[in-house]
Amino acid sequence: MRNLRCVQQSSSGSVAGIKAISWDASKDSVVYLRDARDWLNLERWVDDQLQQIASWAAPQRPYEVLDLRYFGDTETVCIIFDVGDIVVVRENPIDEEKIEIVGSIDVGISAAAWSPDEELLLITTKANTLIYLTRDFEDLVSLELAVRDLKLSDHVSVGWGKKETQFKGKKARALRDPTVPETVDDGRLAASNEFHATTISWRGDGAYVAINSVEDSAQRRVIRIYSREGTLDSVSEPVNGLIGPLSWRPAGNLLAGVQLFEDKRQVVFFERNGLRHGQFPLRVLDRAADGIEICIQALQWNVDSTVLAISYDDRVQLWTMGNYHWYLKQEIFAPSLKWHPEKPLTFALIPESHDKIRQLQYTFDVCSAPISPPLDYGVVAVIDGKILKVTPFRQANLPPPMALFEINMAANANDVLVALANSKPEESGQPLFEIKVLHPERTSTYILDCSKTEPPAQVHEDRLLNDSQRTSTSGKSESEWPLSFEICSTQADAEEFTLVENGSLLFKGRLLARGCTSYLVTPSHLIFTTSQHLLKFVHLASSLEELEVPPDTPESDERCRSIERGAKLVTAMPSIFAVVLQMPRGNLETIYPRALVLAGIRQSIAEKNYKKAFFACRNQRVDMNILHDHQPDQFVANVGTFIDQIRKTQHIDLFLSSLKEEDVSRTMYRETLRADERPDNDTAGVSAGKVNKICNAFLEALLGRRANVKNMITAQVCKNPPDLDAGLLEIVRLREKGGDQVDETVEHICFLADVNRLYENALGLYDLRLTLLIAQQSQKDPREYLPFLQNLQRMEPLRRQFSIDDYLGRFKKALRDLCDPGAFEELKLYASKHSLYKEALDFYRYDEEKFASIMQLYADHLKDASRFKEAATSFHYLNDMTQASECYLLANQWQESLSIASLIPLPSDQLQSLATTSAQSAIETKDFRAAATIFLDYLHDIPSAAKYFCKGYLFTEAFRTITLSSQTDLLTSIFDAGLTENMASITDLLADCKAQLLAQVPRIQELRAKKKEDPLAFFEGDVNEGRDIPDDVSLAATDVSTMGGSLFTRYTNRSMTGTAETGTSRRSSKNRRREERKRARGKKGSVYEEEYLVNSVRRLVERVNSVGEEVGRLVEWLVRRRMVERARAVEGGMVEVVGLCGRAVKDVFEVGNERALLVDGEDGEQEKRDVPVVKEFVRLALLSQ
């Protein structure tokens, strides 16, 4: 689908007698040899200037230049003449001659060619010998081109070409195998002797070389394939009419030759083994029609094997191949051509007068019509000689070489241009396109009407030259006719983008993207393909910074899409959201990228053309939520317009059933918006209540459209959660009006929702007729539901409702149905069965008798459920003090239990027993104040009360109790003994804390030092157990190792977010529990030891803070009871431990300036914990030193 368009051309000054040309790739210049009055001048054309390199006398006899090669590395030119001379010209000689004849072959040279790497020179002489020469012209191999070489052409034959193996029955021609040739060539030569020349062509990699020459003894032309070492590899099969031109495609798969017949000429292809591999016919030239003989001089492939140049005696044709069809793309009037060795579409020409040099640069370009809507018909024109293939892709997508329209022209075309025929197509609405074709001497114009099926019609023709300017004897002027149209883009944005040869896409001269292979500019997007086989879309903007090129993530970004390898853009049609791509082989593919589709949908929404947007979503499988999410307020306000445009009930149902709470404009389609229009991604993309809001808007709009009952049912059912009752009520209302669509609506709602749920909801509406209709649409057995419904039909209304609610599990509602005064006992049983005591109490809150009866049941239920506090309150309400006291006691509320026991009243011995039990329970729970209070108030046991006051460090209360009872002897036996016992306990505690701090803090510092010095050894342990491990053995974890996560996350239980973790086996719950046990033990030497020690120090600091007040009260009363030394010892120990805690906090928790520490929580996630604070211990002033 691409034409060759000339983008740059230049011409040298007048230079007469040009014999040969060559390229100097290092300076991008042309070196040529010309004959000026018996002198040979070697000159260079660079930067529009002619520079002479050397000059010497021409040979005295007639000569031809067979090869001219410039070597850029040595600045040397090698010229080979047919008379046998090999001349070397040194541009900048040092110690050598500037012009030197390095060798001469007396018999003459018939052909010569340098290898692509310029290391070997292959020469064939006129004596049928083959010579390999090095770069220094040393003889490597000399061979004879003998007739015995043809034995290699005896290819394997299965006899298909013999008459005795052919089937000659009836209809034999129709049954003939198409792979069997009708005749077998014997290699007859062409009639003219002009085609007996010898040609040499190297393969692109220089490994093989082909020689096309005439074997006189066999009277046939032979193509010999030699290796680089001079070994004969293969010989071509016999081909009739094969002439001299030969060119090996640089890609290496084919050799191109020319076959001559009396009535036609064709290019034939050979494989390396010498077998034929296809052909294509050359177009009949106008000179042949006049009886003028046409001579084909040479075949030349360009460097990337995409263009084949065929040189005639007065013109050059450029051919390309696509989808196995050969296209004639250009015809230039010049007898010879030389391709640039590095630039694929650049070459130099010598005109027929040999008086100048023309340099032309081409590019592959798609000739397409403007792609601005609404007339973006995707019209593409393809040149194929005298045939112009035109296809409007909006009407038909025909694979090349086919086309919807083919225009037969009078002359070969060189360029074509498609534009709009009318100046204001938006006003006229007529899809008329003007097709201008450039021929060598004229231009012709055609008009294409895409609204009709007729091919384009020619409207006029303009000649480029008048008769006085046509001076060539061949009828063609050799003046520099234009080879292409001057293209002016109709889009201002398109002119700002440029694609350079190295694949860089520029915007206003600045780099936008690399690796670009083709691009298009639509009114809203820049579309381009990359060498990574991706199709990308960029929103147009005014500056490079605003152009956002998507990353190479087609799996997550809708602006990027994977395409076939090597695919390139042909055209785009934004109106139908289509992009046409051409594959490397030549076939076409039309795709509908999400970026274009979404852009068209958003434009339709902005224009309130919801019908077009809806069908675009439906056809292209776009989430229909975008119809609302793009402009929510506008959609809700125009729901009526949406219904009027869509009309069909099925389509409205499709939209309603596609609704979901997700805001697709913030999630899946967010990236396809321009950056300045893109919503903030500060939410999870969920719009709470969105579905219900849309459904309610549709219900409101459908109220006046009773014909759309199905849509109303769909709107009810699609709510979140589904309002099945409302949908069923719509059916009931339709049935009451006598509508004939009841059965259809029942089928419709059963299709939308679970029929079993609908059955239950219909039953819950107490409408047995509706329930029967729903049941008939289900898979239920009629023998099950018919007796059930008949039984319900025979019941009283209230009892029916109770039975239905009980069947559906709506127990609370069923309880209220038991409101019959005679069913109270049944109600109590039902409430007890389903634990509906609160509902029953609420129902009978104004009937004290029934309220108390249900309260009794509730109290017993609470007691059985071990909810003793609530049970005690219920029993207290019912004046059941015995049960209330028992439940209060079980709830550890001894005050209420003993108070209510006193109200009963209980006998003295039972009250004493209850008090003793309460005291023992308080002692077990370490509530010494409560135990002492019970002994004091209810058991009147002064010694026990004082004892437990002392155990709770409540020395003041103990002293008050003893002195109030006037039992001063207890001060020594109970009070002093309690002080001594608590002092011993506190002393042991402080000693343990001191020892723990002195052991654990240094260990923590040691572990941290090891971790800092060698993290691998700290986390992994000594993996080699002290042995040396060779350097070529990897110790890294693999995919099958049991180590999950990275090195530092192995022991933190933190889950990885990458995809690598999904390939490893996940830790089971059993392994997790084992790890938690290891963490809790904190075994020495394990990775959990540091965490265990840090938590241990934290708990120790908290424990020391909690005993500070108790130690203070102990020290004070030790001094009061004249135990000063003991008080001083306790106080000193406390001060020392508090100081150690303060230093431990600084060493363990306060690392640098951080006042918080990250630790691993129970769920494996790291938690931030504050540094513990050590409370200050206030010393007694009497003991301070």
Side-chain angles (χ1 to χ4, degrees):
M1 302 302 291
R2 283 167 163 74
N3 300 319
L4 281 174
R5 171 168 283 138
C6 181
V7 294
Q8 184 178 355
Q9 59 177 322
S10 58
S11 178
S12 68
S14 179
V15 182
I18 299 177
K19 291 293 185 179
I21 59 175
S22 178
W23 281 96
D24 178 6
S26 61
K27 298 179 181 178
D28 197 21
S29 61
V30 177
V31 176
Y32 59 93
L33 180 70
R34 66 186 185 93
D35 190 339
R37 296 181 182 179
D38 298 332
W39 280 88
L40 294 179
N41 291 337
L42 186 64
E43 299 175 352
R44 180 194 300 274
W45 176 37
V46 58
D47 297 332
D48 295 330
Q49 295 182 359
L50 301 178
Q51 302 174 358
Q52 185 173 359
I53 299 175
S55 178
W56 69 97
Q60 297 299 322
R61 51 183 174 168
Y63 68 92
E64 291 291 336
V65 179
L66 297 179
D67 186 77
L68 172 66
R69 176 61 65 96
Y70 184 88
F71 300 97
D73 53 348
T74 59
E75 297 183 339
T76 304
V77 181
C78 178
I79 308 169
I80 302 175
F81 296 92
D82 64 338
V83 295
D85 294 338
I86 303 176
V87 179
V88 173
V89 179
R90 299 175 181 87
E91 191 171 3
N92 296 304
I94 300 178
D95 297 328
E96 299 173 305
E97 296 181 5
K98 186 177 183 65
I99 302 173
E100 180 182 2
I101 300 177
V102 295
S104 183
I105 298 175
D106 296 337
V107 296
I109 301 174
S110 59
W114 286 92
S115 64
D117 58 0
E118 299 178 343
E119 293 296 329
L120 290 179
L121 172 62
L122 188 66
I123 294 176
T124 57
T125 68
K126 295 180 180 180
N128 290 331
T129 57
L130 176 66
I131 303 173
Y132 281 79
L133 300 178
T134 66
R135 177 78 172 268
D136 298 328
F137 303 100
E138 297 179 358
D139 190 356
L140 286 180
V141 179
S142 295
L143 300 171
E144 181 183 359
L145 302 178
V147 69
R148 62 176 178 272
D149 297 340
L150 303 185
K151 295 180 180 180
L152 268 73
S153 66
D154 293 336
H155 301 285
V156 177
S157 174
V158 296
W160 285 348
K162 297 180 180 179
K163 291 184 178 181
E164 57 268 21
T165 60
Q166 301 298 312
F167 176 69
K168 297 297 183 179
K170 289 184 177 181
K171 301 181 180 178
R173 180 175 297 275
L175 297 176
R176 189 180 62 84
D177 189 340
T179 62
V180 178
E182 294 184 358
T183 59
V184 179
D185 289 356
D186 55 5
R188 292 192 302 271
L189 292 173
S192 176
N193 291 329
E194 295 183 11
F195 307 117
H196 291 191
T198 301
T199 308
I200 301 175
S201 181
W202 287 84
R203 201 171 74 172
D205 58 358
Y208 293 91
V209 62
I211 303 173
N212 184 4
S213 62
V214 174
E215 188 62 43
D216 294 331
S217 59
Q219 288 297 306
R220 57 169 284 197
R221 180 172 285 277
V222 181
I223 300 177
R224 295 176 173 86
I225 311 297
Y226 286 91
S227 68
R228 187 180 180 89
E229 291 77 21
T231 303
L232 182 62
D233 183 74
S234 62
V235 177
S236 66
E237 62 176 296
V239 176
N240 292 341
L242 188 66
I243 60 176
L246 178 71
S247 181
W248 201 327
R249 193 179 186 194
N253 58 339
L254 295 175
L255 292 94
V258 178
Q259 189 177 18
L260 210 61
F261 295 99
E262 294 181 358
D263 56 344
K264 66 176 182 179
R265 294 165 176 79
Q266 66 181 11
V267 174
V268 293
F269 296 106
F270 297 88
E271 299 178 5
R272 201 198 76 188
N273 56 13
L275 296 179
R276 286 277 300 273
H277 189 89
Q279 66 277 328
F280 71 90
L282 295 175
R283 307 294 164 83
V284 177
L285 302 177
D286 44 10
R287 284 203 309 169
D290 297 336
I292 302 176
E293 185 177 3
I294 300 173
C295 180
I296 301 177
Q297 302 291 339
L299 301 177
Q300 293 186 58
W301 291 96
N302 69 332
V303 68
D304 65 352
S305 306
T306 56
V307 182
L308 175 63
I310 302 178
S311 299
Y312 298 87
D313 54 354
D314 67 336
R315 70 195 68 193
V316 174
Q317 290 182 345
L318 303 183
W319 293 75
T320 64
M321 192 267 288
N323 219 13
Y324 305 106
H325 175 78
W326 286 88
Y327 296 85
L328 174 56
K329 293 296 184 181
Q330 288 280 317
E331 186 176 62
I332 308 170
F333 287 93
S336 63
L337 167 149
K338 187 69 174 179
W339 288 106
H340 195 287
E342 295 180 357
K343 298 179 180 180
L345 299 178
T346 301
F347 55 86
L349 288 173
I350 301 176
E352 189 175 3
S353 59
H354 295 270
D355 60 351
K356 66 178 67 175
I357 301 174
R358 295 181 65 190
Q359 181 177 340
L360 303 178
Q361 182 178 353
Y362 280 77
T363 185
F364 282 110
D365 185 62
V366 177
C367 177
S368 61
I371 56 178
S372 299
L375 298 179
D376 49 341
Y377 278 79
V379 179
V380 176
V382 181
I383 294 174
D384 188 12
K386 295 182 180 181
I387 300 175
L388 184 65
K389 301 175 182 290
V390 180
T391 302
F393 282 96
R394 191 164 167 180
Q395 292 180 289
N397 187 353
L398 296 176
M402 293 187 293
L404 187 60
F405 304 115
E406 290 190 356
I407 304 174
N408 294 313
M409 300 174 291
N412 293 326
N414 282 341
D415 197 9
V416 62
L417 184 64
V418 181
L420 294 173
N422 42 358
S423 59
K424 296 182 179 180
E426 294 81 3
E427 297 178 0
S428 63
Q430 294 293 328
L432 298 178
F433 295 92
E434 182 184 60
I435 304 175
K436 297 185 66 175
V437 183
L438 178 65
H439 304 283
E441 293 182 340
R442 65 180 69 88
T443 62
S444 55
T445 304
Y446 301 84
I447 296 297
L448 172 65
D449 188 351
C450 290
S451 62
K452 301 179 181 179
T453 59
E454 290 82 4
Q458 185 173 357
V459 291
H460 64 272
E461 181 179 89
D462 296 328
R463 288 190 174 275
L464 299 176
L465 300 175
N466 54 34
D467 295 336
S468 62
Q469 293 174 301
R470 303 173 64 202
T471 58
S472 175
T473 57
S474 62
K476 301 293 182 182
S477 173
E478 293 184 356
S479 62
E480 298 182 10
W481 296 333
L483 298 175
S484 63
F485 289 112
E486 293 185 4
I487 300 178
C488 297
S489 176
T490 57
Q491 293 180 247
D493 296 330
E495 298 179 353
E496 297 177 344
F497 294 95
T498 306
L499 179 61
V500 297
E501 294 180 357
N502 60 4
S504 297
L505 184 60
L506 308 180
F507 176 70
K508 296 181 179 179
R510 299 172 61 186
L511 179 65
L512 176 64
R514 299 183 186 275
C516 177
T517 56
S518 62
Y519 78 97
L520 285 173
V521 181
T522 69
S524 58
H525 289 91
L526 164 68
I527 312 173
F528 66 93
T529 57
T530 70
S531 56
Q532 299 299 321
H533 326 302
L534 298 173
L535 179 67
K536 294 189 176 185
F537 293 81
V538 180
H539 291 283
L540 296 181
S542 58
S543 64
L544 181 65
E545 291 72 18
E546 296 176 357
L547 291 173
E548 185 179 4
V549 179
D552 297 345
T553 54
E555 64 280 355
S556 60
D557 197 333
E558 297 284 5
R559 299 171 299 170
C560 183
R561 173 173 175 153
S562 296
I563 56 176
E564 186 176 333
R565 180 185 295 271
K568 293 183 179 181
L569 291 165
V570 176
T571 187
M573 293 163 281
S575 294
I576 60 172
F577 329 121
V579 171
V580 181
L581 297 168
Q582 187 171 27
M583 306 304 114
R585 191 186 68 182
N587 54 314
L588 300 177
E589 181 179 352
T590 301
I591 62 174
Y592 299 86
R594 276 288 186 265
L596 275 186
V597 173
L598 292 170
I601 291 172
R602 291 189 178 102
Q603 183 178 357
S604 299
I605 293 174
E607 298 171 355
K608 297 183 182 180
N609 189 353
Y610 289 108
K611 182 177 181 180
K612 182 179 179 181
F614 172 83
F615 283 103
C617 293
R618 180 171 177 262
N619 296 335
Q620 302 301 329
R621 297 182 178 272
V622 176
D623 196 317
M624 290 192 180
N625 285 269
I626 196 175
L627 299 176
H628 167 271
D629 295 341
H630 180 57
Q631 293 186 7
D633 297 336
Q634 174 186 303
F635 182 83
V636 174
N638 292 275
V639 168
T641 304
F642 179 88
I643 297 173
D644 293 336
Q645 291 181 2
I646 301 300
R647 291 189 179 181
K648 281 194 176 182
T649 303
Q650 299 89 336
H651 293 161
I652 298 176
D653 286 344
L654 176 62
F655 170 74
L656 291 173
S657 60
S658 303
L659 293 176
K660 56 185 177 182
E661 298 291 346
E662 179 187 358
D663 186 350
V664 296
S665 63
R666 292 178 177 270
T667 54
M668 64 174 68
Y669 301 138
R670 179 176 181 270
E671 301 298 334
T672 56
L673 284 170
R674 294 172 59 95
D676 53 351
E677 300 175 354
R678 199 170 298 159
D680 296 332
N681 196 15
D682 54 354
T683 64
V686 177
S687 301
K690 163 192 153 184
V691 175
N692 292 344
K693 180 180 69 173
I694 298 174
C695 290
N696 290 331
F698 269 84
L699 289 172
E700 183 179 352
L702 290 169
L703 284 177
R705 301 172 173 86
R706 301 307 300 176
N708 292 333
V709 178
K710 291 184 179 180
N711 294 148
M712 298 185 69
I713 294 175
T714 305
Q716 299 286 7
V717 174
C718 291
K719 286 184 178 181
N720 189 17
D723 193 353
L724 300 181
D725 290 345
L728 293 170
L729 289 175
E730 292 289 342
I731 300 177
V732 173
R733 283 191 286 268
L734 182 63
R735 184 189 64 193
E736 292 174 351
K737 291 182 179 180
D740 56 352
Q741 299 180 351
V742 175
D743 293 338
E744 293 183 10
T745 54
V746 171
E747 293 179 2
H748 180 68
I749 195 171
C750 291
F751 172 76
L752 294 174
D754 183 8
V755 68
N756 295 317
R757 287 189 59 191
L758 288 171
Y759 175 80
E760 295 176 356
N761 282 77
L763 194 60
L765 294 175
Y766 314 117
D767 191 330
L768 299 183
R769 291 180 58 190
L770 179 62
T771 306
L772 181 60
L773 289 174
I774 297 297
Q776 291 173 348
Q777 298 294 330
S778 68
Q779 301 296 325
K780 294 180 179 292
D781 189 352
R783 292 175 296 179
E784 296 179 1
Y785 66 79
L786 281 178
F788 173 70
L789 295 178
Q790 291 171 355
N791 185 34
L792 291 176
Q793 183 68 29
R794 291 190 292 267
M795 294 181 182
E796 295 294 330
L798 202 58
R799 176 58 60 174
R800 183 191 305 142
Q801 293 181 14
F802 168 74
S803 300
I804 291 175
D805 291 333
D806 181 64
Y807 173 78
L808 297 177
R810 300 189 293 191
F811 304 120
K812 294 181 181 180
K813 195 171 183 180
L815 183 69
R816 290 194 173 272
D817 294 332
L818 292 174
C819 59
D820 191 350
F824 181 67
E825 293 300 326
E826 184 180 359
L827 184 144
K828 290 197 300 182
L829 294 175
Y830 196 80
S832 300
K833 179 181 179 181
H834 298 290
S835 300
L836 300 175
Y837 303 103
K838 294 181 180 179
E839 289 76 10
L841 289 172
D842 182 64
F843 186 70
Y844 289 107
R845 61 183 179 272
Y846 299 117
D847 191 336
E848 294 184 3
E849 182 180 354
K850 294 180 179 179
F851 186 85
S853 177
I854 297 175
M855 180 65 79
Q856 182 66 44
L857 296 175
Y858 191 29
D860 294 338
H861 169 74
L862 292 173
K863 183 178 180 181
D864 294 339
S866 299
R867 296 164 61 181
F868 299 113
K869 183 178 180 180
E870 298 177 8
T873 303
S874 301
F875 283 123
H876 198 166
Y877 171 82
L878 296 170
N879 289 324
D880 189 351
M881 298 303 177
T882 302
Q883 292 282 1
S885 176
E886 180 183 353
C887 289
Y888 277 128
L889 179 62
L890 292 174
N892 292 324
Q893 294 184 343
W894 60 271
Q895 295 95 332
E896 290 82 353
S897 178
L898 292 174
S899 299
I900 292 177
S902 301
L903 291 176
I904 293 177
L906 285 179
S908 177
D909 56 341
Q910 294 184 13
L911 184 61
Q912 292 288 331
S913 176
L914 180 61
T916 302
T917 302
S918 301
Q920 293 299 327
S921 298
I923 293 172
E924 291 176 0
T925 58
K926 303 294 183 181
D927 191 357
F928 297 115
R929 179 187 288 275
T933 303
I934 295 172
F935 278 115
L936 180 62
D937 295 342
Y938 291 94
L939 298 177
H940 306 290
D941 187 351
I942 302 301
S944 296
K947 176 182 178 182
Y948 287 107
F949 274 131
C950 290
K951 278 186 173 291
Y953 291 86
L954 303 172
F955 302 110
T956 302
E957 288 295 325
F959 189 78
R960 186 187 67 82
T961 301
I962 293 173
T963 56
L964 185 63
S965 62
S966 302
Q967 299 182 22
T968 56
D969 55 325
L970 298 177
L971 292 175
T972 303
S973 59
I974 300 297
F975 192 81
D976 291 346
L979 287 173
T980 302
E981 182 181 353
N982 287 346
M983 185 203 71
S985 177
I986 288 296
T987 302
D988 292 341
L989 174 64
L990 295 177
D992 291 342
C993 292
K994 178 180 178 181
Q996 181 178 342
L997 288 172
L998 294 178
Q1000 291 181 344
V1001 173
R1003 177 61 178 169
I1004 292 173
Q1005 294 175 343
E1006 178 184 356
L1007 291 174
R1008 289 179 176 174
K1010 289 183 178 180
K1011 179 170 64 174
K1012 185 176 181 181
E1013 292 175 0
D1014 191 356
L1016 179 63
F1018 179 81
F1019 284 101
E1020 293 288 340
D1022 191 4
V1023 294
N1024 57 3
E1025 299 180 356
R1027 301 188 301 270
D1028 292 335
I1029 299 296
D1031 295 337
D1032 58 348
V1033 176
S1034 173
L1035 300 179
T1038 64
D1039 290 341
V1040 296
S1041 64
T1042 58
M1043 172 183 172
S1046 64
L1047 174 63
F1048 299 101
T1049 61
R1050 176 182 176 185
Y1051 302 105
T1052 60
N1053 290 334
R1054 299 191 68 186
S1055 61
M1056 297 178 63
T1057 58
T1059 57
E1061 184 69 8
T1062 60
T1064 61
S1065 59
R1066 298 190 180 276
R1067 186 177 301 168
S1068 65
S1069 58
K1070 181 178 179 181
N1071 292 338
R1072 260 196 317 271
R1073 290 194 298 271
R1074 182 168 63 247
E1075 292 293 333
E1076 291 300 329
R1077 289 195 296 271
K1078 290 181 181 180
R1079 184 191 301 274
R1081 287 196 301 268
K1083 182 179 178 181
K1084 186 175 182 180
S1086 68
V1087 292
Y1088 301 121
E1089 182 184 2
E1090 180 189 2
E1091 178 186 352
Y1092 174 81
L1093 294 177
V1094 170
N1095 292 333
S1096 178
V1097 172
R1098 180 187 296 276
R1099 291 191 296 270
L1100 185 145
V1101 172
E1102 294 173 354
R1103 175 64 175 145
V1104 171
N1105 288 337
S1106 64
V1107 302
E1109 295 182 359
E1110 298 175 355
V1111 172
R1113 293 196 296 269
L1114 176 62
V1115 170
E1116 180 182 352
W1117 278 100
L1118 284 173
V1119 173
R1120 289 186 181 185
R1121 298 301 294 167
R1122 297 186 178 183
M1123 303 178 189
V1124 179
E1125 293 303 324
R1126 294 182 180 182
R1128 183 175 286 111
V1130 172
E1131 185 182 63
M1134 184 65 183
V1135 171
E1136 183 180 6
V1137 170
V1138 170
L1140 290 174
C1141 288
R1143 289 192 292 273
V1145 168
K1146 293 181 180 179
D1147 296 339
V1148 175
F1149 299 96
E1150 297 183 7
V1151 182
N1153 296 325
E1154 297 292 334
R1155 298 289 301 174
L1157 186 68
L1158 290 175
V1159 297
D1160 294 323
E1162 295 181 356
D1163 57 351
E1165 297 294 333
Q1166 288 194 331
E1167 301 175 354
K1168 189 173 183 179
R1169 295 186 183 177
D1170 294 333
V1171 175
V1173 179
V1174 180
K1175 293 183 180 180
E1176 183 181 359
F1177 179 72
V1178 181
R1179 305 183 64 175
L1180 192 63
L1182 297 174
L1183 299 178
S1184 59
Q1185 300 295 329

